[in-house]
Amino acid sequence: MSHLLLIAIGPVQDFIASARRTRDLWFGSWLLSELAKAAAKSIYQAKGNLIFPYPTNPAQDLAPESAFNVPNKILAKVEGDIKKIADTAKQALEQRLNQIRDGAFDQVKGTFYDEQAADQIAALVEFNWVALPLGTDYAKTREQLEHLMAARKNTRNFSEVTWGTNAPKSSIDGERESVIDEKYYPPAGMANTSPEYAKIVARLYRDYGINVGERLSGVDMLKRHGQKGIDSRFPSTSHMAAIPMFNFLNKYDEANANISLIDPWNRYINFFNTNSTLIKYIDNERTPKSQKNFGNIDGSLLFAERFNDTLEGNDLSDAQNALEAFYTALGVKKRPIPYYAILHADGDAMGSVINNQEVIEKHQEISKALAKFADNKRDINPLNDSEERSVATIVAKHQGALVYSGGDDVLAFLPLHTALECADALAKRFQTLLSNFKDKTDRSPTLSVGIAIVHHLEPLSDALDLARAAEKKAKGFVGKNALAINLSKRGGADRIIVGSWIESKYSFYNRLKKLIEWHQTDQIPLGFAFELHDLSIRLKDLPANIFHAEAKRIIERKHTSNGIKVSSAIATELLAMINDLVPETLTQAHIMIQQFADEVIIAEFIADAQKLANGN
């Protein structure tokens, strides 16, 4: 008899999000995909018919370390002993986990409680499965199966924790105990300026890849030291923030034939390479995102404040002086903008569209389209039609770093100057691939995108919360199919704006592009946005027509930063944007006036990054 088998693998969000470094986040996402892939391969080898995910070339796609991403849910049509198939899939998952664990532990030079670490990792994965006879109504059986899985997840299995100790908790997730003996850390009261303290710090970094304040559990060790084939580095948040500056320096070098950045840059890097206490520091500050003229050096080396994390005393001041000497030698007054973007996207109406598929083959077609969208292979050949691009290719084209793409779920880091265009390209690609699939209301899936603009030194967990808040704002927009941007400036209030992807002359995305263009050419003053924002707070009960009149008055008397009045053409278009966004019949007009003011402010922020990246 044929059965539908549904497997859910966890934990997902908590496990992925518990990361202090981008590399930990990226590896945790990849690890879960690898484990799900091993389970999916086991089902395929048992002659199961995979429905979601749907690999077009199973032997290649389900191989370890392939570019094919497998989400944490697996749906298949299977024959025979259901329990045996599910148990074998779980064994395959555990075997793959042990392989990755052993590879990670081999990378650790120092001693640690490896048995306790292995126990913590073994207890990490949640593997739940349910099955039902298929019958003749696929859609109804699948719906029942989802309800059954929800009930299964609420029926928890509890077992005794075998690895609990009185050791300090992990500094990453705060749940599991550290597996590194405290004797390897500086004793209480030791001066952090002493030579012995410096030796201990260097040994912690050399043997465990950690800073003095970090405590790692076995799961943290797995993330920190696990290997993803030959590609086991990931750019930092600082590198993402530095990319516009890298672009500026490259263009500056091309435009100034009598000044080369190569020699000053090499002198700066040689400062680290010839300093015995700093060689290991620069070895860690490398990234697969190589930059022209700069090699694979991470962009954190362009920020003096980043040295505060791991350097102290003379090393700190010497490194900061060396960086300033590099900028001075070039005669460059520009400095990196210390902000980057996190993009978090999720499909809309996916559940209702899948529920509307009455046969397995139609569901497999959706899975195939999602796999094509989420493909981790990168192709940035400009001759390739953009309609053929995958998530990985789109993110790479925009100089970003993809953390995860599985099904309709995307998480990526991006430099500030490309984040908006990348979001637009992803939304269009998703809608194109899924346009042939409808729900009962004749709606096709769309992609809602949240972008968080965050300071590069913001704790990663907080930055991810901001990205999730933006994605939630987009998903909560009327009709979904939306973009939300959350700007979190240090020392200022967060600003979040949201609007639909639906095209019109003054649609949200088109409005932002136009505002950015005007900011780049210094044709609109930023001051009027702050006045509008202040007005919306102080006089929130005003009707829309009064806000229109006040906006006109503010715009007409404002001057740009170079002392020029706003042109009548631009003033007219700004007012048209406000009138379109805030019709006179709108109640609580102050909310949308505030939105427009924040759009102007955020657009200026993005425009500054684009000007820098363009060499201006």
Side-chain angles (χ1 to χ4, degrees), residues 384-425:
N384 185 22
D385 189 333
S386 62
E387 289 302 309
E388 297 300 318
R389 296 187 187 280
S390 66
V391 169
T393 300
I394 291 170
V395 171
K397 180 188 174 186
H398 292 89
Q399 296 184 270
L402 181 63
V403 176
Y404 177 73
S405 62
D408 60 336
D409 191 16
V410 179
L411 181 65
F413 294 99
L414 288 153
L416 186 52
H417 70 291
T418 65
L420 198 60
E421 291 179 356
C422 184
D424 180 55

Side-chain angles (χ1 to χ4, degrees), residues 194-384:
S194 68
E196 186 59 29
Y197 184 90
K199 289 180 182 178
I200 293 173
V201 170
R203 188 167 61 242
L204 284 171
Y205 181 75
R206 181 192 66 228
D207 293 349
Y208 303 102
I210 61 175
N211 299 324
V212 69
E214 289 186 300
R215 302 294 189 276
L216 300 188
S217 68
V219 173
D220 303 326
M221 298 278 271
L222 177 65
K223 286 184 179 182
R224 184 66 55 89
H225 297 284
Q227 300 296 295
K228 182 186 174 183
I230 60 172
D231 183 16
S232 289
R233 291 186 183 270
F234 194 81
S236 67
T237 57
S238 298
H239 186 79
M240 286 293 109
I243 288 176
M245 186 67 185
F246 277 131
N247 291 1
F248 169 83
L249 291 172
N250 284 324
K251 292 180 186 298
Y252 178 84
D253 186 54
E254 293 168 2
N256 295 273
N258 60 327
I259 301 174
S260 173
L261 61 80
I262 302 299
D263 290 340
W265 178 255
N266 286 340
R267 286 197 297 272
Y268 176 47
I269 298 305
N270 284 338
F271 158 75
F272 290 92
N273 287 332
T274 57
N275 187 319
S276 60
T277 63
L278 295 178
I279 290 175
K280 283 292 181 182
Y281 176 83
I282 196 169
D283 181 61
N284 189 57
E285 300 302 312
R286 297 187 185 276
T287 174
K289 296 289 178 184
S290 60
Q291 303 291 316
K292 178 185 174 184
N293 293 327
F294 300 95
N296 63 353
I297 297 298
D298 192 270
S300 59
L301 265 72
L302 291 182
F303 292 98
E305 63 267 28
R306 266 299 300 269
F307 300 137
N308 295 331
D309 291 347
T310 51
L311 302 181
E312 296 181 337
N314 291 335
D315 286 343
L316 174 60
S317 58
D318 288 348
Q320 291 171 334
N321 291 337
L323 176 57
E324 192 55 40
F326 165 66
Y327 286 129
T328 301
L330 288 175
V332 173
K333 293 183 179 180
K334 297 280 188 179
R335 293 295 184 270
I337 296 171
Y339 287 83
Y340 70 102
I342 301 179
L343 182 149
H344 190 193
D346 188 53
D348 306 316
M350 286 304 304
S352 60
V353 168
I354 291 172
N355 289 340
N356 198 37
Q357 309 310 308
E358 297 181 353
V359 294
I360 288 176
E361 290 75 16
K362 284 293 185 182
H363 192 169
Q364 286 176 322
E365 287 180 21
I366 294 177
S367 299
K368 185 177 179 179
L370 289 172
K372 192 173 184 180
F373 173 73
D375 195 339
N376 220 2
K377 297 173 186 173
R378 291 182 295 174
D379 177 11
I380 54 175
N381 183 350
L383 298 178
N384 185 22

Side-chain angles (χ1 to χ4, degrees), residues 544-559:
N545 64 319
I546 301 298
F547 276 116
H548 292 171
E550 279 298 293
K552 184 174 187 296
R553 181 186 66 79
I554 292 170
I555 291 170
E556 288 179 346
R557 67 181 176 80
K558 279 291 180 182
H559 292 72

